[in-house]
Amino acid sequence: MKTNAIRINEYGGPEVLNYCEIDLPDLKPGEARIRHNAIGLNFIDTYHRSGLYPMPLPTGLGSEAAGVVEEIADDVKVVKVGDRVVYTGRPADSYSEQRNFDANQLVPIPDGISFEQAAALLLKGLTAWYLLRKSYAVKTNDDILLHAAAGGVGLIASQWASHLGANVVGVVSTPEKAELALAHGCSEIIMADEDVAEKVLKLTNGKGVSAVYDSIGKNTFISSLNSLKPHGVMVTFGNASGPVDAFAPSELASRHSLYVTRPILADFINTREKLLHGAQELFDLVVQGIIKININQKYALKDTAQAHRDLESRKTTGSTILIP
Ligand code: NDP
């Protein structure tokens, strides 16, 4: 069977993304075949493409999609043909019209959530879930700092944190992004080119924040540490500006006993029970209208290179999807 998909034969810029016809193998035990209706674009896809997170080549790309189950292996019990499902996980191959995938990692899409919304929300929303509920569990009246607050993870996390009662200070790069973040749960905004730590101390009467959620990495790591109050928690979860340099543990001591964690989503959804639990919490908030999903960019699957260019040049806000 043939299908269309993105393949890369070498690491590099968006130009290495090839849209081509590929052979879809027969299903292996435990797998389902999904026909995609919408595919989520995520910053991690750019790390896979550039080789920052290496994968054996040639490879597909993409970590999230929503669609319909077309066929299942004989031993699969958790989904059936015709089910509407969404998933996130490896191997990266969601940039495709159809694919085979581990059925245990498929999440049924509830009524009231479209394929496009599902593809725009699962990976980013589950990330917001574990960041705010597990990595540092936000409490009412906590001051927290959230980088890239108008981005995909950012707009979901700002709404969720505000719902949990936190005062969310968002960092963004443009006035338009500031407006968007303020409309989605942020109570204060700091512009990315300002002295973020200095501004945080001003906003918190010299105290600092309880936690920083930092997906920018290299450029912001030290200023994020400087924004924390004693015993504060630094959650460094992304590398939009490059990976964080090595640092001495004494940096945490001199800033009054800080904690640092470097989490990845996969560790929080490594059983079907945990995956479905997190997804349920997320879907409930979306269906109730507490978290709004902003699909602010859509591209045809064959135009994925342009989508990568726009994401990496900070032109996007909220979620981006690809349509096969
Ligand atoms: P975003 O939509 O947030 O896009 C990235 C944003 O980062 C940009 O819009 C930009 O916002 C900001 N940014 C700051 N500096 C740079 C830079 N030098 N280059 C590019 N962007 C920059 O992407 P996602 O929502 O897909 O992902 C957000 C982050 O979360 C990523 O770093 C990703 O790797 C990470 N992540 C980590 C996970 C984990 O489990 N560890 C899981 C999911 C995501 P602005 O212009 O406002 O500064």
Side-chain angles (χ1 to χ4, degrees):
M1 184 186 275
K2 303 273 186 195
T3 195
N4 291 310
I6 298 283
R7 284 286 175 274
I8 65 169
N9 298 309
E10 57 184 328
Y11 300 127
E15 70 283 354
V16 302
L17 299 165
N18 299 308
Y19 180 70
C20 50
E21 193 176 67
I22 58 156
D23 287 315
L24 203 55
D26 292 336
L27 290 176
K28 294 194 196 109
E31 286 187 339
R33 174 169 303 130
I34 305 111
R35 177 173 289 277
H36 294 151
N37 291 58
I39 299 155
L41 181 78
N42 290 285
F43 215 91
I44 192 173
D45 307 343
T46 70
Y47 309 146
H48 289 147
R49 189 208 69 219
S50 70
L52 178 65
Y53 295 173
M55 301 189 297
L57 296 173
T59 180
L61 227 59
S63 305
E64 175 181 43
V68 175
V69 175
E70 282 192 325
E71 194 184 335
I72 53 175
D74 291 342
D75 60 339
V76 168
K77 303 278 181 268
V78 290
V79 290
K80 57 184 190 316
V81 171
D83 282 357
R84 300 165 75 240
V85 292
V86 59
Y87 65 86
T88 175
R90 304 260 192 104
D93 201 8
S94 68
Y95 288 2
S96 54
E97 289 177 348
Q98 290 159 283
R99 75 166 302 177
N100 302 340
F101 193 63
D102 173 14
N104 267 319
Q105 296 184 62
L106 297 174
V107 179
I109 304 175
D111 293 343
I113 294 186
S114 67
F115 290 118
E116 294 196 357
Q117 286 175 316
L121 73 77
L122 190 74
L123 192 161
K124 297 168 190 74
L126 286 174
T127 301
W129 165 73
Y130 86 70
L131 290 174
L132 301 169
R133 309 275 284 128
K134 316 258 173 207
S135 288
Y136 170 78
V138 163
K139 297 185 293 299
T140 311
N141 292 327
D142 272 346
D143 294 316
I144 63 165
L145 181 67
L146 175 67
H147 282 275
V153 173
L155 278 188
I156 297 175
S158 52
Q159 295 176 84
W160 203 327
S162 160
H163 174 67
L164 292 169
N167 306 313
V168 187
V169 180
V171 184
V172 299
S173 67
T174 67
E176 295 74 28
K177 290 184 179 186
E179 205 174 306
L180 197 58
L182 285 169
H184 290 83
C186 286
S187 43
E188 303 285 348
I189 290 292
I190 301 176
M191 302 307 287
D193 59 2
E194 291 184 280
D195 184 330
V196 172
E198 189 184 278
K199 196 86 193 280
V200 165
L201 292 178
K202 254 188 211 150
L203 288 170
T204 56
N205 299 321
K207 289 202 305 259
V209 291
S210 300
V212 181
Y213 300 93
D214 185 338
S215 60
I216 312 302
K218 190 178 179 66
N219 291 353
T220 51
F221 185 74
I222 295 297
S223 99
S224 290
L225 292 185
N226 290 340
S227 303
L228 284 163
K229 69 183 192 187
H231 306 287
V233 179
M234 165 67 167
V235 185
T236 169
F237 71 101
N239 327 278
S241 67
V244 174
D245 292 329
F247 69 97
S250 58
E251 299 284 352
L252 308 178
S254 63
R255 291 173 177 83
H256 306 292
S257 308
L258 302 181
Y259 296 84
V260 173
T261 179
R262 202 326 181 174
I264 55 171
L265 172 59
D267 289 333
F268 296 84
I269 52 170
N270 57 4
T271 65
R272 184 157 180 79
E273 196 187 356
K274 288 187 219 169
L275 169 66
L276 294 182
H277 174 75
Q280 189 64 52
E281 259 194 66
L282 171 63
F283 291 151
D284 284 350
L285 293 175
V286 173
V287 169
Q288 289 168 46
I290 291 165
I291 293 177
K292 298 200 169 47
I293 301 304
N294 292 265
I295 303 174
N296 293 350
Q297 299 75 215
K298 272 189 209 182
Y299 303 81
L301 178 59
K302 64 178 173 40
D303 298 329
T304 302
Q306 189 57 45
H308 274 223
R309 279 186 203 102
D310 292 348
L311 182 63
E312 286 175 294
S313 57
R314 304 165 80 159
K315 285 193 184 134
T316 65
T317 58
S319 297
T320 302
I321 56 170
L322 309 170
I323 305 295

